Every structure is written in C-alpha cells, then in structure tokens.
C-alpha cells in the first residue's frame, strides 16, 4: 500500500500495489478489527462485515444502496426508487404503527373495485369494505 498526496489539498490517496480491489481496515487500541472501507475495480464501494469479508454496505456511484441483513442483500427504499410500487408489510400484529401526532392521508381517486378488507377514498367519500 502506498500513500500519496491526493488530486486536491484536501485528499489523501491510498494506492494498492497489487490486485484491482483496495481496502482500508481500522483496528482499535487493542488491535481488534473494527471496520473496513472497501472499493472494487468494478465500481462498488462500501464497508465489509469483517476483514476482507462479505459486503455489509455496498454502493455504486449513482446506484442503489444495498445493506446485508443476516446473509441477504437488501436494497434501501427511498423516494427515488419506490415509484408506484406496492409495499407489503408482513410483521404480524403491529406490522404498521402510526406514531402519536401522525396520520394517514388518502388521495381522492377512481374506484378500483370491490375487495374484502379495503379502505379507499373515492368521489370525496371514504369507503371501508369488510367481509371475507
């Protein structure tokens, strides 16, 4: 690993001497590993979950952010990638909780059809359908 002056006075450049990937591992005063910043020649950067381990946080420039939860990569949802996609909550009782001093707001729209267990705002009327 070589350390050079960066392309501006504010940067410090770390340059690997072999391979195409590069990592910067941090250790505490007891020499215990704490984190690793990692970058690949394929354009990804982020943090690994152990010294030269698997991705923990992975990002490509102008791309989506992925987090590894357990052993599965999950894309972080935000206003730019949700679009018109539906969302399903499956956490059982309390899967969706609205905090105090908060509410749910519905936009008036056209009728989407009957369905048991539905709430919809249509023609300025709030419809709640029950049944099985």
């Amino acid at each position: 690993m070589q350390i050079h002056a960066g392309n501006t006075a504010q940067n410090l450049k770390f340059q690997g001497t072999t391979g195409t990937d590069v990592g910067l591992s941090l250790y505490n005063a007891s020499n215990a590993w704490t984190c690793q910043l990692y970058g690949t020649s394929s354009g990804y950067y982020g943090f690994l979950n152990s010294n030269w381990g698997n991705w923990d946080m992975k990002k490509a420039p102008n791309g989506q952010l992925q987090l590894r939860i357990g052993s599965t990569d999950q894309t972080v949802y935000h206003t730019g990638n949700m679009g018109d996609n539906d969302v399903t909550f499956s956490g059982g009782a309390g899967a969706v909780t609205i905090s105090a001093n908060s509410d749910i707001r519905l936009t008036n729209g056209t009728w989407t059809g009957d369905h048991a267990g539905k709430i919809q705002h249509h023609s300025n009327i709030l419809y709640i359908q029950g049944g099985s």
Side-chain angles (χ1 to χ4, degrees), residues 36-84:
Q36 182 175 5
L37 177 62
Y38 177 68
T40 71
S41 61
S42 58
Y44 292 104
Y45 62 91
F47 290 93
L48 302 181
N49 64 4
S50 62
N51 195 37
W52 291 101
N54 293 315
W55 285 108
D56 194 39
M57 295 174 55
K58 178 180 173 183
K59 177 90 173 61
N62 295 314
Q64 299 301 324
L65 172 64
Q66 292 184 328
L67 302 177
R68 178 158 292 193
I69 310 297
S71 60
T72 305
D73 291 337
Q74 303 289 337
T75 299
V76 174
Y77 283 122
H78 54 82
T79 57
N81 68 3
M82 280 299 295
D84 294 330

Side-chain angles (χ1 to χ4, degrees), residues 10-114:
Q10 296 89 348
N11 285 348
L12 186 60
K13 177 181 175 181
F14 292 84
Q15 183 175 351
T17 55
T18 62
T20 57
D21 297 349
V22 66
L24 178 63
S25 284
L26 303 179
Y27 293 80
N28 65 18
S30 301
N31 201 34
W33 179 87
T34 57
C35 70
Q36 182 175 5
L37 177 62
Y38 177 68
T40 71
S41 61
S42 58
Y44 292 104
Y45 62 91
F47 290 93
L48 302 181
N49 64 4
S50 62
N51 195 37
W52 291 101
N54 293 315
W55 285 108
D56 194 39
M57 295 174 55
K58 178 180 173 183
K59 177 90 173 61
N62 295 314
Q64 299 301 324
L65 172 64
Q66 292 184 328
L67 302 177
R68 178 158 292 193
I69 310 297
S71 60
T72 305
D73 291 337
Q74 303 289 337
T75 299
V76 174
Y77 283 122
H78 54 82
T79 57
N81 68 3
M82 280 299 295
D84 294 330
N85 295 323
D86 294 339
V87 177
T88 300
F89 298 95
S90 58
V96 177
T97 302
I98 309 303
S99 300
N101 305 318
S102 298
D103 57 27
I104 298 174
R105 298 182 183 207
L106 303 174
T107 303
N108 191 45
T110 58
W111 187 248
T112 59
D114 294 335

